[in-house]
Amino acid sequence: MSDPIISVQRISKQVADSTGTLTILHDIDFALFPKETVAIVGASGSGKSTLLAILAGLDTPTAGTVTLAGTDLFALDEDARAALRARQVGFVFQNFQLLGHLTALENVMLPLELMGRRDARAAATEMLQRVGLAERLGHYPKLLSGGEQQRVALARAFVVRPAVLLADEPTGSLDFATGAKVMELMFELNREAGTTLVLVTHDLQIAARCERQLRIEAGRVAEATTA
């Protein structure tokens, strides 16, 4: 078996609130392997999104380590973590997080430009064509439907060919039919790219499409199932 692309060891996360110390995650351990698809499931407030943010190095744990592509995330400073994310990780969020002052094409070009890619325009155009938005290149997000905005977000995530794609409730802002189409596209792009997909979802039908499911209950991994 290949080495893990992400290794999580004894991750805990605590925050202080008015009643004292609240434990969000407690001694989380698991590994994710190249090209694997994994769903993180659990009730609202169980710590799913916090765990996803820690996997990306966007949030820091109280204890434990996360190794991404052989590098200890939290041995790096914030700038070095950002640089590693830019090379290795793509993101898709519930609320799309497109930049409103940029067109669809410019939104997808942005991560390529930050990497210094001279072919940013051509690569972004090709990816938007791949997600069915060839006629929307010059449209700003406010002129796009929710499904179209999420397809732009998918194009932006996959255009850099990340080793890992982290998706947080990617259909949460979409109606059922649109969400189903977006998920079909996400899994299709993921197969083509050979990316490790980590998907936070409350939708058990979507979770069932992944090879493995991690269930978070009260901040702990309560169950790990394989499809």
Side-chain angles (χ1 to χ4, degrees):
M1 181 177 288
S2 59
D3 292 332
I5 186 69
I6 294 179
S7 180
V8 177
Q9 296 179 308
R10 302 186 67 81
I11 284 292
S12 294
K13 177 69 175 182
Q14 297 175 326
V15 296
D17 66 7
S18 58
T19 62
T21 300
L22 174 66
T23 298
I24 300 174
L25 298 171
H26 185 74
D27 276 350
I28 301 286
D29 284 284
F30 61 88
L32 303 173
F33 293 90
K35 301 184 181 181
E36 189 175 27
T37 57
V38 179
I40 300 175
V41 299
S44 179
S46 60
K48 304 186 301 297
S49 293
T50 298
L51 177 58
L52 199 72
I54 289 173
L55 294 183
L58 294 169
D59 194 0
T60 56
T62 305
T65 60
V66 174
T67 303
L68 171 61
T71 301
D72 182 347
L73 272 181
F74 301 107
L76 305 175
D77 62 25
E78 193 168 333
D79 288 343
R81 285 201 300 273
L84 182 61
R85 276 196 301 274
R87 296 193 304 270
Q88 300 286 353
V89 182
F91 297 94
V92 179
F93 300 96
Q94 176 176 335
N95 59 354
F96 321 132
Q97 293 202 0
L98 302 177
L99 297 177
H101 65 287
L102 299 182
T103 65
L105 179 60
E106 291 166 343
N107 267 281
V108 179
M109 287 173 60
L110 184 60
L112 297 171
E113 291 176 329
L114 293 174
M115 296 170 68
R117 289 268 298 269
R118 294 184 178 181
D119 65 337
R121 180 172 292 273
T125 299
E126 182 179 352
M127 183 56 72
L128 283 166
Q129 290 170 342
R130 173 63 188 82
V131 301
L133 293 176
E135 306 303 318
R136 297 287 189 270
L137 302 184
H139 286 59
Y140 291 92
K142 67 181 180 181
L143 300 176
L144 300 173
S145 69
E148 287 172 334
Q149 289 186 65
Q150 196 60 298
R151 281 190 278 160
V152 174
L154 284 175
R156 182 181 59 186
F158 278 106
V159 76
V160 297
R161 295 285 173 172
V164 179
L165 179 69
L166 304 178
D168 192 359
E169 299 283 7
T171 62
S173 297
L174 305 174
D175 63 73
F176 178 81
T178 303
K181 292 176 182 177
V182 165
M183 288 310 304
E184 191 63 42
L185 179 60
M186 176 182 287
F187 281 109
E188 192 175 314
L189 291 171
N190 197 68
R191 284 191 299 269
E192 292 174 5
T195 299
T196 299
L197 173 64
V198 186
L199 171 66
V200 165
T201 183
H202 66 278
D203 188 324
L204 297 183
Q205 288 185 321
I206 292 175
R209 298 189 60 177
C210 294
E211 296 165 341
R212 191 153 56 107
Q213 297 176 34
L214 299 176
R215 179 172 296 280
I216 308 297
E217 292 182 3
R220 298 176 183 267
V221 175
E223 179 182 352
T225 61
T226 302

